[in-house]
Amino acid sequence: MKTLRNGILIAYFALCILFSSALRASAEDSLERQFRILFISSYGFSNAAVPDQLEGFEKGIEGVNVDISYEFMDADKYYGSLDLQNFDKFVKYKIYSVRAYDLIVVADDSALRYAINNREELFDDVPLVFMGVNNMTEAITASAMKNATGIAESLDFESNYALMKQLFPTRDHLNVIVDSSVAGQGDYVEFMKFSEKHPEINSTVINTSYYTADGIKEVLEGLGTDDIMLFLDFSIDGEKNAYSLKHASDFLSTYAPDIPIFRLTSTDVGYGVFGGISYSYYDAGRIAGDVSKRILLGEEADSIPLLSSSVSTPYFDQECMDKFGIVYSQLPKGSVVINEHENFAKFYRENTLISNLGIIILILLVAIIALLNATNSKRKKIIRTDFLTQMPNRKKLMEDINQAIASVTPYGLIMLDIDHFKSINDTYGHGVGDEIIVGVGEKLKEMSGKDVTFARLGGDEFCGMFTSTAPDAGKKICEDIITKTKNPFKTSVGELSITVSIGCATYPADTNDPNKLMECADSALYATKENGRNGYTLFNCINKS
């Protein structure tokens, strides 16, 4: 039975060792191996949102060794059936040409739809992370898939609607600009959900995909003083003309110059767009990058819930603010104003920045002063430290003695020489002599504390100063020195044994003149040498002997 129990214990410990080794190896592999990511974007770099998304994603995934393959659908320009077929062939060619990917990341609605439609064939069971999906229903459906999660593009309709009413209370007719792109229809669905909660909203949806360019101009030119505009999407018109965000912004502001244009994403605020509480593509990309990192490092995608909270920053354009008589104090806290005027209001608002700058300057000055003090203290320490032993030197000892004399503090001195030190130098050389000096210094430094400090005076001479008022304090220190130095010292020529001669005197017990205490200690030292060395003499015992 005992043998069986021992066998079970051995097996248990072996399994524990193997398991811990496996976990450690797994963790190291996660940090060192390179992961392959296929990143499919619905658009291309001509879309202003894409650079922000990619920059944010790469920031979020920092710290993991990844090889990212970027593919761009350019769905705002090429989203016909033939376009999709050609894109599909190209992606399949790449996927079949390389080893399997560790993660699929898709940005915006078109890329998500492509991934869903082709997932089983192209990357079945590969974790999927999506971002920038306008249609919340599709985002929820996608996150319910096996091994998939992501970030929905949650536009803050509520806050922007409240801001419209606050800034432009007389403009009660909302014109919503959308198109028939996948993203546009996703935004349209989310707006309709929002408007159902607010039956008081008087709105008109203008789908640019149903109008010619001239038709859009006519609609815009017909807007009046009670109108306000919510610019969601305008990437194409009914004649299949493509519009960049900048082009679309210029178009809307040119033909509706007196209409405030609100934008719910951070791209292309300006160009005639008033602004709004804007969705941040950079922050969404950063969050998606962080989620991707967690998955690559072992977290299950299914355990990460869909993230749909609004990621936004208020952005506004100064020129549009001036046009409509809006000042900074009317904007939400933390607003960013593009091309803001350099005026007193801005200066007053940025006093915190100036204060912070003042604090930084003050900190720098304090740091410089501290550095100078540290440098000065280091310099003072160097000139008060023996180079060979790194003990206090004669200068430091004399300063301590003078301080004790000035404060009329009782103190004692111990003078110490290494016996026959010249013979050590003559026999073994000055290098070995220095080793002995360092060795003795180390022993004395070990004894140093609150009540006693030792210094090297030069050559083989050392001195200790103590402030203990105990009657036998000097005697005990001398005995401790003899004990500490009786063992052989290790040198480059082997172990060498030495002896020391010590003399001790105290003030005021041995002399009423504190300035003569070192002479008394020296006299006691000479008495030790005259008595055969290798010992100590207390000054008050000289005459007695």
Side-chain angles (χ1 to χ4, degrees):
M1 181 63 70
K2 184 176 180 180
T3 303
L4 176 61
R5 185 168 63 251
N6 290 340
I8 292 173
L9 287 173
I10 292 171
Y12 171 75
F13 286 121
L15 286 172
C16 288
I17 292 170
L18 288 173
F19 182 67
S20 62
S21 298
L23 286 178
R24 185 166 59 253
S26 175
E28 290 173 353
D29 288 345
S30 295
L31 293 173
E32 295 176 2
R33 66 165 290 197
Q34 185 178 67
F35 297 96
R36 291 182 58 82
I37 298 176
L38 176 61
F39 189 114
I40 302 177
S41 171
S42 298
Y43 307 112
F45 276 94
S46 60
N47 185 298
V50 172
D52 288 349
Q53 281 179 332
L54 300 189
E55 183 182 357
F57 179 79
E58 291 175 0
K59 180 64 177 179
I61 206 168
E62 275 185 359
V64 179
N65 185 5
V66 292
D67 176 24
I68 308 175
S69 296
Y70 292 103
E71 304 299 339
F72 302 97
M73 296 181 69
D74 287 311
D76 47 354
K77 300 176 183 176
Y78 308 103
Y79 200 61
S81 58
L82 183 59
D83 300 323
L84 290 177
Q85 289 175 22
N86 289 331
F87 179 77
D88 184 56
K89 289 179 182 177
F90 182 68
V91 171
K92 286 180 179 177
Y93 168 76
K94 284 201 168 185
I95 290 176
Y96 294 144
S97 298
V98 298
R99 60 183 176 83
Y101 288 97
D102 299 291
L103 182 70
I104 307 298
V105 180
V106 294
D108 296 292
D109 301 67
S110 301
L112 177 61
R113 288 189 181 180
Y114 175 81
I116 292 173
N117 293 337
N118 295 276
R119 191 180 188 197
E120 184 175 349
E121 178 185 357
L122 298 182
F123 21 78
D124 189 27
D125 294 330
V126 179
L128 174 67
V129 174
F130 58 86
M131 73 173 102
V133 178
N134 303 65
N135 190 315
M136 183 60 69
T137 302
E138 287 196 3
I140 293 172
T141 302
S143 67
M145 294 189 304
K146 181 182 177 182
N147 215 8
T149 189
I151 299 94
E153 186 174 308
S154 181
L155 301 181
D156 196 347
F157 288 100
E158 291 287 352
S159 297
N160 278 283
Y161 177 54
L163 187 61
M164 288 178 188
K165 292 193 295 182
Q166 173 194 327
L167 298 180
F168 304 99
T170 62
R171 295 180 179 267
D172 56 4
H173 183 238
L174 180 61
N175 298 272
V176 183
I177 308 297
V178 297
D179 60 22
S180 294
S181 66
V182 175
Q185 290 308 291
D187 284 340
Y188 172 73
V189 169
E190 295 308 311
F191 171 75
M192 294 307 296
K193 291 179 184 177
F194 160 74
S195 63
E196 287 173 2
K197 300 176 184 177
H198 296 273
E200 78 281 4
I201 294 179
N202 177 21
S203 65
T204 299
V205 175
I206 303 172
N207 190 324
T208 62
S209 299
Y210 297 161
Y211 294 83
T212 63
D214 288 337
I216 300 171
K217 292 178 188 177
E218 185 176 345
V219 171
L220 295 175
E221 290 171 344
L223 300 181
T225 57
D226 63 341
D227 286 294
I228 195 167
M229 192 183 304
L230 178 59
F231 171 22
L232 296 179
D233 300 275
F234 180 9
S235 62
I236 194 168
D237 63 22
E239 298 172 304
K240 305 301 180 185
N241 294 314
Y243 295 76
S244 67
L245 286 173
K246 179 182 181 303
H247 184 194
S249 300
D250 284 336
F251 190 100
L252 295 174
S253 61
T254 298
Y255 296 102
D258 299 321
I259 309 300
I261 303 172
F262 272 71
R263 179 91 171 129
L264 274 61
T265 60
S266 59
T267 51
D268 284 322
V269 172
Y271 308 110
V273 173
F274 173 76
I277 300 173
S278 304
Y279 179 84
S280 172
Y281 288 103
Y282 173 86
D283 288 336
R286 179 180 52 78
I287 294 170
D290 181 68
V291 168
S292 300
K293 180 196 298 185
R294 290 161 57 188
I295 293 172
L296 292 176
L297 294 180
E299 194 167 343
E300 293 291 335
D302 290 333
S303 68
I304 303 174
L306 172 70
L307 301 175
S308 59
S309 58
S310 179
V311 182
S312 57
T313 300
Y315 281 90
F316 299 93
D317 177 66
Q318 183 68 65
E319 185 176 341
C320 290
M321 289 171 59
D322 294 342
K323 180 191 292 186
F324 298 109
I326 303 298
V327 296
Y328 188 91
S329 60
Q330 296 175 269
L331 302 179
K333 185 178 180 180
S335 293
V336 176
V337 177
I338 298 170
N339 302 319
E340 186 174 6
H341 296 317
E342 296 293 337
N343 53 29
F344 177 78
K346 180 182 179 183
F347 174 80
Y348 178 79
R349 189 176 70 253
E350 292 179 348
N351 271 343
T352 52
L353 179 62
I354 295 174
S355 299
N356 289 338
L357 183 60
I359 292 172
I360 291 173
I361 293 173
L362 180 62
I363 291 173
L364 288 174
L365 288 175
V366 171
I368 292 171
I369 293 171
L371 181 61
L372 291 174
N373 284 337
T375 303
N376 191 43
S377 297
K378 185 176 181 181
R379 184 181 64 82
K380 287 182 179 179
K381 184 178 179 181
I382 289 174
I383 64 175
R384 289 165 174 79
T385 301
D386 177 61
F387 177 77
L388 180 61
T389 62
Q390 294 301 300
M391 299 173 69
N393 59 13
R394 180 185 290 273
K395 180 178 178 62
K396 178 65 170 65
L397 177 69
M398 296 310 299
E399 288 176 352
D400 291 345
I401 291 174
N402 290 333
Q403 184 176 352
I405 293 172
S407 60
V408 197
T409 301
Y411 76 101
L413 290 180
I414 293 172
M415 303 297 291
L416 179 151
D417 280 356
I418 300 173
D419 294 333
H420 307 296
F421 182 72
K422 184 176 182 301
S423 297
I424 295 174
N425 278 336
D426 293 342
T427 304
Y428 301 104
H430 289 279
V432 174
D434 287 347
E435 293 174 18
I436 293 294
I437 290 173
V438 171
V440 172
E442 290 299 320
K443 299 296 184 183
L444 296 177
K445 283 192 285 185
E446 290 174 7
M447 296 176 58
S448 295
K450 182 177 70 173
D451 294 329
V452 60
T453 57
F454 289 92
R456 182 188 177 211
L457 303 183
D460 65 319
E461 295 179 290
F462 296 87
C463 180
M465 176 181 175
F466 62 93
T467 56
S468 174
T469 57
D472 61 345
K475 178 180 179 182
K476 185 177 184 309
I477 295 170
C478 292
E479 291 174 347
D480 287 344
I481 294 173
I482 296 296
T483 302
K484 284 274 189 182
T485 56
K486 70 179 180 179
N487 293 324
F489 287 80
K490 293 181 179 180
T491 72
S492 57
V493 295
E495 292 188 345
L496 294 179
S497 295
I498 65 164
T499 59
V500 296
S501 295
I502 306 171
C504 176
T506 60
Y507 162 80
D510 293 327
T511 176
N512 292 325
D513 186 353
N515 292 291
K516 293 184 177 181
L517 190 62
M518 186 171 283
E519 294 179 19
C520 295
D522 268 331
S523 297
L525 171 62
Y526 293 139
T528 302
K529 292 183 177 181
E530 289 174 358
N531 291 327
R533 295 184 172 85
N534 188 19
Y536 68 91
T537 300
L538 303 179
F539 182 79
N540 62 10
C541 297
I542 294 177
N543 295 331
K544 297 178 182 180
S545 60

